[in-house]
mmCIF file of all heavy atoms in Angstrom:
data_model
loop_
_atom_site.group_PDB
_atom_site.id
_atom_site.type_symbol
_atom_site.label_atom_id
_atom_site.label_comp_id
_atom_site.label_asym_id
_atom_site.label_seq_id
_atom_site.Cartn_x
_atom_site.Cartn_y
_atom_site.Cartn_z
ATOM 1 N N ARG A 572 21.190 -10.690 -33.244
ATOM 2 C CA ARG A 572 21.349 -10.387 -31.828
ATOM 3 C C ARG A 572 20.462 -9.192 -31.486
ATOM 4 O O ARG A 572 20.449 -8.189 -32.197
ATOM 5 C CB ARG A 572 22.808 -10.097 -31.503
ATOM 6 C CG ARG A 572 23.705 -11.292 -31.820
ATOM 7 C CD ARG A 572 25.151 -11.050 -31.493
ATOM 8 N NE ARG A 572 25.934 -12.217 -31.879
ATOM 9 C CZ ARG A 572 27.204 -12.408 -31.567
ATOM 10 N NH1 ARG A 572 27.854 -11.494 -30.858
ATOM 11 N NH2 ARG A 572 27.837 -13.494 -31.952
ATOM 12 N N TRP A 573 19.752 -9.339 -30.371
ATOM 13 C CA TRP A 573 18.808 -8.301 -29.961
ATOM 14 C C TRP A 573 19.178 -7.800 -28.577
ATOM 15 O O TRP A 573 19.490 -8.580 -27.674
ATOM 16 C CB TRP A 573 17.380 -8.844 -29.984
ATOM 17 C CG TRP A 573 16.978 -9.290 -31.363
ATOM 18 C CD1 TRP A 573 17.105 -10.535 -31.896
ATOM 19 C CD2 TRP A 573 16.429 -8.468 -32.405
ATOM 20 N NE1 TRP A 573 16.668 -10.568 -33.191
ATOM 21 C CE2 TRP A 573 16.235 -9.312 -33.539
ATOM 22 C CE3 TRP A 573 16.072 -7.132 -32.485
ATOM 23 C CZ2 TRP A 573 15.706 -8.838 -34.736
ATOM 24 C CZ3 TRP A 573 15.544 -6.647 -33.683
ATOM 25 C CH2 TRP A 573 15.363 -7.496 -34.787
ATOM 26 N N LYS A 574 19.130 -6.486 -28.414
ATOM 27 C CA LYS A 574 19.554 -5.872 -27.161
ATOM 28 C C LYS A 574 18.650 -6.287 -26.007
ATOM 29 O O LYS A 574 17.435 -6.414 -26.170
ATOM 30 C CB LYS A 574 19.550 -4.350 -27.293
ATOM 31 C CG LYS A 574 20.631 -3.815 -28.221
ATOM 32 C CD LYS A 574 20.648 -2.301 -28.237
ATOM 33 C CE LYS A 574 21.783 -1.780 -29.112
ATOM 34 N NZ LYS A 574 21.819 -0.293 -29.127
ATOM 35 N N VAL A 575 19.264 -6.475 -24.861
ATOM 36 C CA VAL A 575 18.523 -6.820 -23.658
ATOM 37 C C VAL A 575 17.666 -5.630 -23.204
ATOM 38 O O VAL A 575 16.542 -5.796 -22.739
ATOM 39 C CB VAL A 575 19.488 -7.264 -22.542
ATOM 40 C CG1 VAL A 575 18.736 -7.563 -21.250
ATOM 41 C CG2 VAL A 575 20.287 -8.488 -22.989
ATOM 42 N N SER A 576 18.179 -4.432 -23.374
ATOM 43 C CA SER A 576 17.459 -3.233 -22.926
ATOM 44 C C SER A 576 16.300 -2.872 -23.842
ATOM 45 O O SER A 576 15.354 -2.202 -23.415
ATOM 46 C CB SER A 576 18.418 -2.048 -22.836
ATOM 47 O OG SER A 576 18.935 -1.736 -24.123
ATOM 48 N N ASP A 577 16.371 -3.305 -25.105
ATOM 49 C CA ASP A 577 15.324 -2.993 -26.077
ATOM 50 C C ASP A 577 15.180 -4.173 -27.025
ATOM 51 O O ASP A 577 15.973 -4.317 -27.971
ATOM 52 C CB ASP A 577 15.678 -1.725 -26.854
ATOM 53 C CG ASP A 577 14.581 -1.313 -27.833
ATOM 54 O OD1 ASP A 577 13.591 -2.065 -27.981
ATOM 55 O OD2 ASP A 577 14.714 -0.246 -28.446
ATOM 56 N N PRO A 578 14.179 -5.035 -26.826
ATOM 57 C CA PRO A 578 14.032 -6.248 -27.640
ATOM 58 C C PRO A 578 13.838 -5.978 -29.122
ATOM 59 O O PRO A 578 13.958 -6.900 -29.931
ATOM 60 C CB PRO A 578 12.795 -6.922 -27.037
ATOM 61 C CG PRO A 578 12.664 -6.358 -25.671
ATOM 62 C CD PRO A 578 13.170 -4.961 -25.756
ATOM 63 N N ASN A 579 13.543 -4.747 -29.497
ATOM 64 C CA ASN A 579 13.326 -4.414 -30.900
ATOM 65 C C ASN A 579 14.537 -3.751 -31.549
ATOM 66 O O ASN A 579 14.473 -3.341 -32.708
ATOM 67 C CB ASN A 579 12.112 -3.485 -31.035
ATOM 68 C CG ASN A 579 10.826 -4.192 -30.624
ATOM 69 O OD1 ASN A 579 10.582 -5.326 -31.025
ATOM 70 N ND2 ASN A 579 10.018 -3.523 -29.813
ATOM 71 N N ALA A 580 15.626 -3.648 -30.803
ATOM 72 C CA ALA A 580 16.850 -3.045 -31.326
ATOM 73 C C ALA A 580 17.926 -4.115 -31.487
ATOM 74 O O ALA A 580 18.167 -4.915 -30.584
ATOM 75 C CB ALA A 580 17.346 -1.941 -30.398
ATOM 76 N N GLU A 581 18.566 -4.110 -32.657
ATOM 77 C CA GLU A 581 19.610 -5.092 -32.902
ATOM 78 C C GLU A 581 20.896 -4.716 -32.166
ATOM 79 O O GLU A 581 21.176 -3.543 -31.942
ATOM 80 C CB GLU A 581 19.910 -5.187 -34.395
ATOM 81 C CG GLU A 581 18.795 -5.790 -35.224
ATOM 82 C CD GLU A 581 19.190 -5.904 -36.685
ATOM 83 O OE1 GLU A 581 20.398 -6.092 -36.955
ATOM 84 O OE2 GLU A 581 18.306 -5.784 -37.547
ATOM 85 N N GLY A 582 21.658 -5.758 -31.816
ATOM 86 C CA GLY A 582 22.979 -5.525 -31.254
ATOM 87 C C GLY A 582 23.169 -6.154 -29.893
ATOM 88 O O GLY A 582 22.243 -6.708 -29.304
ATOM 89 N N GLU A 583 24.397 -6.068 -29.399
ATOM 90 C CA GLU A 583 24.729 -6.540 -28.064
ATOM 91 C C GLU A 583 25.131 -5.351 -27.213
ATOM 92 O O GLU A 583 25.458 -4.291 -27.737
ATOM 93 C CB GLU A 583 25.841 -7.579 -28.121
ATOM 94 C CG GLU A 583 27.110 -7.096 -28.801
ATOM 95 C CD GLU A 583 28.105 -8.218 -29.024
ATOM 96 O OE1 GLU A 583 27.813 -9.140 -29.814
ATOM 97 O OE2 GLU A 583 29.179 -8.160 -28.394
ATOM 98 N N GLU A 584 25.123 -5.558 -25.912
ATOM 99 C CA GLU A 584 25.396 -4.456 -24.995
ATOM 100 C C GLU A 584 26.418 -4.873 -23.954
ATOM 101 O O GLU A 584 26.454 -6.035 -23.531
ATOM 102 C CB GLU A 584 24.108 -4.031 -24.281
ATOM 103 C CG GLU A 584 23.035 -3.518 -25.226
ATOM 104 C CD GLU A 584 21.698 -3.365 -24.525
ATOM 105 O OE1 GLU A 584 21.115 -4.389 -24.121
ATOM 106 O OE2 GLU A 584 21.252 -2.220 -24.379
ATOM 107 N N GLY A 585 27.211 -3.905 -23.521
ATOM 108 C CA GLY A 585 28.144 -4.155 -22.436
ATOM 109 C C GLY A 585 27.432 -4.221 -21.105
ATOM 110 O O GLY A 585 26.411 -3.554 -20.892
ATOM 111 N N VAL A 586 27.953 -5.046 -20.215
ATOM 112 C CA VAL A 586 27.420 -5.165 -18.858
ATOM 113 C C VAL A 586 28.541 -4.715 -17.923
ATOM 114 O O VAL A 586 29.536 -5.429 -17.748
ATOM 115 C CB VAL A 586 26.984 -6.609 -18.536
ATOM 116 C CG1 VAL A 586 26.206 -6.646 -17.223
ATOM 117 C CG2 VAL A 586 26.160 -7.205 -19.664
ATOM 118 N N PRO A 587 28.431 -3.555 -17.321
ATOM 119 C CA PRO A 587 29.532 -3.028 -16.512
ATOM 120 C C PRO A 587 29.890 -3.942 -15.342
ATOM 121 O O PRO A 587 29.014 -4.466 -14.653
ATOM 122 C CB PRO A 587 28.987 -1.686 -16.010
ATOM 123 C CG PRO A 587 27.912 -1.313 -16.984
ATOM 124 C CD PRO A 587 27.304 -2.607 -17.419
ATOM 125 N N VAL A 588 31.189 -4.108 -15.140
ATOM 126 C CA VAL A 588 31.689 -4.867 -13.992
ATOM 127 C C VAL A 588 31.846 -3.901 -12.824
ATOM 128 O O VAL A 588 32.546 -2.888 -12.923
ATOM 129 C CB VAL A 588 33.038 -5.535 -14.316
ATOM 130 C CG1 VAL A 588 33.571 -6.276 -13.092
ATOM 131 C CG2 VAL A 588 32.885 -6.485 -15.494
ATOM 132 N N ARG A 589 31.196 -4.221 -11.716
ATOM 133 C CA ARG A 589 31.200 -3.337 -10.548
ATOM 134 C C ARG A 589 32.363 -3.645 -9.614
ATOM 135 O O ARG A 589 33.011 -2.744 -9.079
ATOM 136 C CB ARG A 589 29.870 -3.471 -9.800
ATOM 137 C CG ARG A 589 29.659 -2.442 -8.703
ATOM 138 C CD ARG A 589 28.254 -2.566 -8.136
ATOM 139 N NE ARG A 589 28.051 -3.875 -7.515
ATOM 140 C CZ ARG A 589 26.873 -4.343 -7.129
ATOM 141 N NH1 ARG A 589 25.785 -3.622 -7.335
ATOM 142 N NH2 ARG A 589 26.770 -5.525 -6.549
ATOM 143 N N SER A 590 32.625 -4.925 -9.386
ATOM 144 C CA SER A 590 33.732 -5.298 -8.493
ATOM 145 C C SER A 590 34.083 -6.757 -8.733
ATOM 146 O O SER A 590 33.294 -7.532 -9.304
ATOM 147 C CB SER A 590 33.340 -5.107 -7.020
ATOM 148 O OG SER A 590 32.321 -6.015 -6.645
ATOM 149 N N VAL A 591 35.276 -7.134 -8.288
ATOM 150 C CA VAL A 591 35.719 -8.529 -8.348
ATOM 151 C C VAL A 591 36.396 -8.863 -7.028
ATOM 152 O O VAL A 591 37.274 -8.126 -6.568
ATOM 153 C CB VAL A 591 36.710 -8.774 -9.506
ATOM 154 C CG1 VAL A 591 37.051 -10.261 -9.590
ATOM 155 C CG2 VAL A 591 36.147 -8.270 -10.822
ATOM 156 N N THR A 592 35.989 -9.954 -6.430
ATOM 157 C CA THR A 592 36.643 -10.437 -5.205
ATOM 158 C C THR A 592 37.158 -11.838 -5.428
ATOM 159 O O THR A 592 36.681 -12.567 -6.315
ATOM 160 C CB THR A 592 35.665 -10.415 -4.015
ATOM 161 O OG1 THR A 592 34.513 -11.229 -4.322
ATOM 162 C CG2 THR A 592 35.197 -9.000 -3.711
ATOM 163 N N LEU A 593 38.111 -12.212 -4.611
ATOM 164 C CA LEU A 593 38.760 -13.514 -4.747
ATOM 165 C C LEU A 593 38.554 -14.308 -3.470
ATOM 166 O O LEU A 593 38.634 -13.772 -2.355
ATOM 167 C CB LEU A 593 40.248 -13.314 -5.020
ATOM 168 C CG LEU A 593 41.014 -14.407 -5.775
ATOM 169 C CD1 LEU A 593 40.380 -14.694 -7.129
ATOM 170 C CD2 LEU A 593 42.474 -13.986 -5.955
ATOM 171 N N SER A 594 38.289 -15.592 -3.601
ATOM 172 C CA SER A 594 38.093 -16.463 -2.447
ATOM 173 C C SER A 594 39.408 -16.615 -1.678
ATOM 174 O O SER A 594 40.490 -16.355 -2.216
ATOM 175 C CB SER A 594 37.597 -17.836 -2.901
ATOM 176 O OG SER A 594 38.555 -18.445 -3.753
ATOM 177 N N PRO A 595 39.344 -17.032 -0.398
ATOM 178 C CA PRO A 595 40.575 -17.170 0.397
ATOM 179 C C PRO A 595 41.625 -18.066 -0.240
ATOM 180 O O PRO A 595 42.829 -17.822 -0.075
ATOM 181 C CB PRO A 595 40.068 -17.745 1.722
ATOM 182 C CG PRO A 595 38.657 -17.243 1.825
ATOM 183 C CD PRO A 595 38.130 -17.257 0.425
ATOM 184 N N ASP A 596 41.179 -19.106 -0.988
ATOM 185 C CA ASP A 596 42.169 -19.987 -1.619
ATOM 186 C C ASP A 596 42.646 -19.446 -2.961
ATOM 187 O O ASP A 596 43.504 -20.049 -3.624
ATOM 188 C CB ASP A 596 41.621 -21.402 -1.787
ATOM 189 C CG ASP A 596 40.444 -21.492 -2.748
ATOM 190 O OD1 ASP A 596 40.037 -20.446 -3.318
ATOM 191 O OD2 ASP A 596 39.906 -22.605 -2.933
ATOM 192 N N GLY A 597 42.104 -18.311 -3.387
ATOM 193 C CA GLY A 597 42.553 -17.660 -4.609
ATOM 194 C C GLY A 597 42.034 -18.266 -5.894
ATOM 195 O O GLY A 597 42.400 -17.808 -6.981
ATOM 196 N N ARG A 598 41.155 -19.244 -5.800
ATOM 197 C CA ARG A 598 40.739 -19.954 -7.008
ATOM 198 C C ARG A 598 39.403 -19.475 -7.579
ATOM 199 O O ARG A 598 39.143 -19.670 -8.775
ATOM 200 C CB ARG A 598 40.652 -21.454 -6.722
ATOM 201 C CG ARG A 598 42.002 -22.103 -6.419
ATOM 202 C CD ARG A 598 41.852 -23.588 -6.138
ATOM 203 N NE ARG A 598 41.166 -24.235 -7.235
ATOM 204 C CZ ARG A 598 40.133 -25.068 -7.088
ATOM 205 N NH1 ARG A 598 39.646 -25.314 -5.879
ATOM 206 N NH2 ARG A 598 39.569 -25.626 -8.144
ATOM 207 N N THR A 599 38.535 -18.891 -6.772
ATOM 208 C CA THR A 599 37.216 -18.482 -7.239
ATOM 209 C C THR A 599 37.112 -16.963 -7.291
ATOM 210 O O THR A 599 37.244 -16.278 -6.279
ATOM 211 C CB THR A 599 36.103 -19.041 -6.338
ATOM 212 O OG1 THR A 599 36.161 -20.465 -6.350
ATOM 213 C CG2 THR A 599 34.737 -18.597 -6.841
ATOM 214 N N ALA A 600 36.857 -16.468 -8.499
ATOM 215 C CA ALA A 600 36.652 -15.031 -8.706
ATOM 216 C C ALA A 600 35.152 -14.762 -8.757
ATOM 217 O O ALA A 600 34.437 -15.374 -9.556
ATOM 218 C CB ALA A 600 37.316 -14.576 -9.989
ATOM 219 N N THR A 601 34.669 -13.881 -7.903
ATOM 220 C CA THR A 601 33.269 -13.466 -7.908
ATOM 221 C C THR A 601 33.187 -12.125 -8.618
ATOM 222 O O THR A 601 33.618 -11.094 -8.081
ATOM 223 C CB THR A 601 32.719 -13.364 -6.478
ATOM 224 O OG1 THR A 601 32.799 -14.656 -5.858
ATOM 225 C CG2 THR A 601 31.264 -12.914 -6.503
ATOM 226 N N VAL A 602 32.668 -12.152 -9.830
ATOM 227 C CA VAL A 602 32.611 -10.969 -10.682
ATOM 228 C C VAL A 602 31.211 -10.374 -10.566
ATOM 229 O O VAL A 602 30.227 -10.960 -11.022
ATOM 230 C CB VAL A 602 32.924 -11.322 -12.143
ATOM 231 C CG1 VAL A 602 33.028 -10.054 -12.991
ATOM 232 C CG2 VAL A 602 34.199 -12.153 -12.249
ATOM 233 N N ARG A 603 31.126 -9.212 -9.918
ATOM 234 C CA ARG A 603 29.825 -8.561 -9.705
ATOM 235 C C ARG A 603 29.585 -7.510 -10.785
ATOM 236 O O ARG A 603 30.422 -6.654 -11.041
ATOM 237 C CB ARG A 603 29.764 -7.925 -8.320
ATOM 238 C CG ARG A 603 29.932 -8.933 -7.200
ATOM 239 C CD ARG A 603 29.596 -8.382 -5.831
ATOM 240 N NE ARG A 603 29.812 -9.404 -4.818
ATOM 241 C CZ ARG A 603 28.944 -10.361 -4.524
ATOM 242 N NH1 ARG A 603 27.785 -10.403 -5.181
ATOM 243 N NH2 ARG A 603 29.211 -11.260 -3.602
ATOM 244 N N PHE A 604 28.413 -7.629 -11.393
ATOM 245 C CA PHE A 604 28.032 -6.710 -12.461
ATOM 246 C C PHE A 604 27.017 -5.698 -11.922
ATOM 247 O O PHE A 604 26.449 -5.867 -10.844
ATOM 248 C CB PHE A 604 27.437 -7.487 -13.633
ATOM 249 C CG PHE A 604 28.442 -8.397 -14.313
ATOM 250 C CD1 PHE A 604 28.650 -9.693 -13.865
ATOM 251 C CD2 PHE A 604 29.187 -7.931 -15.388
ATOM 252 C CE1 PHE A 604 29.569 -10.527 -14.487
ATOM 253 C CE2 PHE A 604 30.116 -8.749 -16.008
ATOM 254 C CZ PHE A 604 30.313 -10.044 -15.562
#
């Protein structure tokens, strides 16, 4: 596994979640990173 921020560095990275909203019917979660 290679980091997205540095293609020459091994590992995975966290992608911060900024906000989550829910559709009016409550079924679709829009997860913004």
Side-chain angles (χ1 to χ4, degrees):
R572 300 181 182 190
W573 299 92
K574 291 184 177 181
V575 177
S576 63
D577 183 355
N579 294 314
E581 292 182 31
E583 57 189 66
E584 298 169 294
V586 190
V588 178
R589 190 174 63 191
S590 67
V591 184
T592 58
L593 206 57
S594 61
D596 65 1
R598 294 180 55 229
T599 300
T601 299
V602 187
R603 299 192 181 278
F604 294 88

